[in-house]
Amino acid sequence: MTTNNFPTLQTEKFLLRQFIGSDLAAIFNGLSDPDVIKYYGISFSTLEETKEQLQFFTDLEENETGIWWAICSLDNQTFYGGGGFNNRSKEHKKAEIGFWLLKDFWGQGIMSQILPLLCRYGFNHLDLHRIEALVETENWNCKKALQKLMFNHEGTMKDYEIKDGKFISIDIYALFKNQIVLQMESN
């Protein structure tokens, strides 16, 4: 279900908009690709299963636990992936950031443009003080992207979850609102 008050964001090259029904095939293509989902935490084997994820993306705005955007070209003709916030706590002024891209668009610097936009939205419109990222320890590309954006590595939760029958460790990264203010002042 789309809402008229959903915030649309954009950069010079990208449009971030609400997920819509016609995104279903693209979401399935991404979240069924073994390389894309290697560190993502969920995967789907059918379009029918993927409908639940589409519903999750569109319901977040309504239940206030987060918000996710479809990442598209400015002309809305190319779907790249998704990004946003979940596990939002209004009381503690924090949320977890997440993102994924279709494999064809990896290594093109897309997330280096999208993540700052998402963080600014979180701090300025969701009243967040802390944005955190929980990243599988082996996900070096994600960790590099977060470090470029000045996310702080706070520690590692060893053997935190079981995935594919094996324990995995999770690194915790965080960015604080005052860091963004200081970065803007220094530029």
Side-chain angles (χ1 to χ4, degrees), residues 48-77:
E48 191 62 34
E49 290 176 356
T50 311
K51 286 181 183 176
E52 291 179 30
Q53 186 66 25
L54 177 61
Q55 192 65 46
F56 169 80
F57 287 145
T58 56
D59 281 352
L60 278 176
E61 174 68 6
E62 293 174 24
N63 66 28
E64 298 186 354
T65 60
I67 183 171
W68 272 71
W69 289 266
I71 303 169
C72 304
S73 58
L74 272 181
D75 64 6
N76 202 25
Q77 298 300 304

Side-chain angles (χ1 to χ4, degrees), residues 103-152:
K103 189 167 48 178
D104 291 346
F105 305 110
W106 289 5
Q108 298 179 21
I110 293 172
M111 292 317 299
S112 65
Q113 294 180 52
I114 299 302
L115 287 174
L117 185 64
L118 293 176
C119 291
R120 281 193 300 275
Y121 185 87
F123 291 132
N124 296 331
H125 298 283
L126 299 178
D127 194 30
L128 299 178
H129 171 73
R130 174 188 171 92
I131 296 173
E132 54 194 22
L134 304 178
V135 182
E136 288 187 35
T137 300
E138 301 299 315
N139 190 346
W140 300 107
N141 289 335
C142 181
K143 293 187 326 183
K144 279 193 273 184
L146 293 169
Q147 289 166 353
K148 282 182 187 176
L149 294 169
M150 307 305 288
F151 273 74
N152 300 305

